[in-house]
Amino acid sequence: MRATVLYGAGDVRVENVPDARLIEPTDALVTVSRACICGSDLWPYQLMQPGEPPRRMGHEAIGVVEAVGSGVRTMKIGDVVVMPFAYSDGTCAFCHEGLHTSCVHGGFFGTVELPGAQADALRIPLADGTLFVLPVGADEALMASLLTLSDVMGTGHHAARAAKVGRGKTAAVIGDGAVGLCAVIAARRLGAEQIIMMGHHPDRIALAKEFGATDVVKERGEQAVARVRTLAGGLGVHSVLECVGTDQAMRTAIGIARPGGAVGRVGVPHYEAIPGSEPAFYNNLTIGGGPAPVRAYVQELLPDVLEGKIEPGRVFDRVIGLDAVPDGYRAMHERAAIKVMVKP
């Protein structure tokens, strides 16, 4: 079978690898019908150091169950399933608390330890606790939006939850990538009255407005902070959804939050210490977030996708075959695409 392998910065290849197979009784084997390239995939694509072991990439997928181990109880061959970016047993203390990304037996797809989903097929460990069976056929027209439930829509929702978005509140979204755009959907869905999108790519800004952004701030740094605070009546916003993960993004988040506000950070942090800790302390800010437990959110978000109330699949603006995945990485790296769907 074919799979995507990252060998070094800028060096991603599609190669023939041994076929995926069942190993444990709790495994399922899934043929991948849709996968995609994530913004977080670009970090190793840009920064992977010489000497690091190759990685089979991809952590978002929808597929069809081809085989199940003897211990699998909740799905059968032929089921269409969505695969969250983390696997989990569904039974540990943290899974019961809705924090599947902290599962004591879990982990993440697309790592050195576990092959990724930009491939023809994939072994899913702990299938009962990981996969979610979808009430659709394999050719369902909603497939793009359903695919976002594996990561970006759930991650945007997690940012909104951590930032305590609520009815009548003001919110700002930092980052106009796929997660940031889904965060706009999430903020609107949870009732935010004013949603400020911070970004500067025209195509993404246009989509953010269609998703519910009421204001746009294209400035950066101190100019951006001043602009957002002005738009929010001089007080700052109640909720900041930080979807980038850089030092500057977090400084901006703390700068635009009003006293007593909350920052939900879901951008993978590329700093060791949270910047701006002193103003965050004196302004009584709540800073939360992390890797989104998207498995816990699928059941909540799925009805809105099926009913067409939200359309997060619109973040996909390019569809490619598996053999074109290297071109897809380049397109996202060069900001020529928002998010690339892969159809093996």
Side-chain angles (χ1 to χ4, degrees):
M1 70 173 209
R2 299 167 301 162
T4 299
V5 185
L6 181 67
Y7 283 94
D11 184 8
V12 62
R13 313 172 199 174
V14 177
E15 298 185 333
N16 289 319
V17 300
D19 288 346
R21 61 184 180 85
L22 301 177
I23 298 176
E24 302 291 341
T26 51
D27 290 346
L29 180 64
V30 171
T31 296
V32 177
S33 55
R34 304 286 194 288
C36 45
I37 301 171
C38 185
S40 61
D41 291 333
L42 298 182
W43 288 111
Y45 179 76
Q46 296 165 355
L47 301 173
M48 188 172 180
Q49 297 299 307
E52 291 187 44
R55 293 170 54 174
R56 298 252 296 270
M57 300 295 288
H59 53 257
E60 305 152 281
I62 283 179
V64 177
V65 176
E66 293 297 325
V68 296
S70 60
V72 175
R73 299 285 179 263
T74 62
M75 66 200 67
K76 63 185 185 302
I77 293 171
D79 281 344
V80 178
V81 292
V82 60
M83 182 201 88
F85 66 83
Y87 65 94
S88 54
D89 61 20
T91 61
C92 79
F94 297 115
C95 288
H96 280 301
E97 293 171 6
L99 197 59
H100 295 72
T101 45
S102 292
C103 176
V104 296
H105 299 117
F108 298 91
F109 291 100
T111 61
V112 173
E113 293 77 20
L114 188 67
Q118 293 163 13
D120 287 319
L122 192 64
R123 177 181 77 92
I124 310 295
L126 304 174
D128 283 332
T130 300
L131 298 175
F132 190 98
V133 178
L134 296 170
V136 297
D139 297 323
E140 172 63 50
L142 293 172
M143 201 62 72
S145 286
L146 293 169
L147 179 56
T148 68
L149 299 180
S150 67
D151 187 347
V152 290
M153 186 60 230
T155 296
H157 179 70
H158 190 53
R161 288 291 191 196
K164 302 181 181 180
V165 174
R167 196 159 302 283
K169 289 187 175 182
T170 56
V173 176
I174 301 177
D176 57 8
V179 171
L181 291 168
C182 287
V184 172
I185 295 174
R188 184 182 183 185
R189 180 178 175 275
L190 292 176
E193 184 175 282
Q194 181 182 30
I195 304 171
I196 302 168
M197 163 55 78
M198 303 182 71
H200 60 280
H201 296 90
D203 55 337
R204 303 172 187 217
I205 294 303
L207 191 54
K209 289 180 178 178
E210 294 179 30
F211 283 163
T214 58
D215 302 275
V216 174
V217 170
K218 298 180 180 180
E219 295 88 347
R220 294 181 175 180
E222 291 304 315
Q223 289 183 315
V225 171
R227 178 65 177 149
V228 172
R229 295 188 74 86
T230 297
L231 288 170
L235 302 176
V237 297
H238 296 96
S239 303
V240 184
L241 291 68
E242 197 281 281
C243 305
V244 179
T246 62
D247 180 286
Q248 182 59 60
M250 181 52 73
R251 289 187 185 278
T252 298
I254 291 171
I256 63 178
R258 65 188 280 153
V263 177
R265 57 180 190 142
V266 295
V268 178
H270 285 72
Y271 47 81
E272 291 189 5
I274 295 178
S277 59
E278 185 176 2
F281 175 81
Y282 282 105
N283 283 325
N284 281 282
L285 301 186
T286 299
I287 299 176
V294 297
R295 181 62 175 78
Y297 296 142
V298 174
Q299 197 155 355
E300 177 182 352
L301 297 171
L302 180 61
D304 283 2
V305 170
L306 295 176
E307 294 170 19
K309 292 180 179 179
I310 60 174
E311 298 180 281
R314 294 176 63 194
V315 300
F316 292 106
D317 56 350
R318 187 172 301 198
V319 180
I320 60 173
L322 185 58
D323 290 331
V325 163
D327 294 332
Y329 272 82
R330 282 191 288 271
M332 288 185 60
H333 172 66
E334 295 167 0
R335 302 295 188 267
I338 300 173
K339 190 167 179 68
V340 174
M341 181 187 293
V342 181
K343 294 177 70 173

